[in-house]
Amino acid sequence: SGTLDSEVILNEALDGVLALFDLDAASIYVLDAETQDILAVPFRGVRRTTLSDEVDADPIQLCERAVREGRVVISKRSACVPIQGRNEALGALHLTCRPGLTLSAADKSVLAAIGAQIGLALENARLYHEANRRNRVLAALNSIAHVLGQSPRLEESLGLTLARILE
């Protein structure tokens, strides 16, 4: 995707995976940066509670295992793919497979590559938004420095500085 919006990236990734594989459902779980808890974000397909067949592993536990081991983890009806950034795990892609569907070694390689691509896209989006935030802060500081350099009166300078900070 050509976007730097994390939500769009995740939703387009789910749509692409569902189109590529014959799946009942797919969801993405992201790691909370502070707590390292796995949180569900977008979801596509049939809800787990409506699947009438076999009971499968808890998706959060399966995703935690995929993230911890850094590899695709397969259970009876599910697969979890780690989403890896450049230097850290960012989450996991959870797939609910149709009964009887098996994933080949090539499928697992494709899924691992998809997880890596999602991770890089998310990391690029984060870096882009962080750079924009820093640019706004630097622009405000530059504006404050400009005001302070022009006004010889302290009261006026502080009032204009406060106005720039509040922008």
Side-chain angles (χ1 to χ4, degrees), residues 84-90 119-120 123 126:
Q84 184 69 34
R86 287 176 185 85
N87 300 318
E88 63 184 346
L90 302 175
L120 290 175
E123 199 163 78
R126 181 188 59 79

Side-chain angles (χ1 to χ4, degrees), residues 2-76:
T3 184
L4 290 169
D5 181 330
S6 297
E7 188 173 328
V8 172
I9 291 167
L10 295 176
N11 282 303
E12 287 182 0
L14 285 179
D15 292 340
V17 169
L18 285 172
L20 188 60
F21 294 94
D22 187 25
L23 303 171
D24 281 332
S27 55
I28 293 181
Y29 293 80
V30 294
L31 278 175
D32 182 282
E34 292 178 19
T35 66
Q36 292 299 297
D37 290 335
I38 289 192
L39 309 169
V41 185
F43 178 90
R44 294 282 190 291
V46 181
R47 288 266 174 220
R48 290 185 58 79
T49 55
T50 63
L51 297 174
S52 59
D53 293 24
E54 312 149 10
V55 175
D56 198 16
D58 175 43
I60 292 179
Q61 290 177 349
L62 204 60
C63 289
E64 286 173 341
R65 184 172 161 211
V67 167
R68 187 176 55 252
E69 295 178 8
R71 66 178 182 86
V72 177
V73 175
I74 308 289
S75 70
K76 197 183 302 183

Side-chain angles (χ1 to χ4, degrees), residues 133-153:
R133 184 191 61 76
R134 285 184 181 159
N135 284 342
R136 287 190 306 272
V137 168
L138 288 174
L141 290 173
N142 186 38
S143 179
I144 290 167
H146 180 73
V147 166
L148 290 174
Q150 285 186 339
S151 177
R153 294 187 3 204

Side-chain angles (χ1 to χ4, degrees), residues 147-162:
V147 166
L148 290 174
Q150 285 186 339
S151 177
R153 294 187 3 204
L154 182 59
E155 267 184 43
E156 183 181 339
S157 293
L158 291 177
L160 290 170
T161 300
L162 180 60

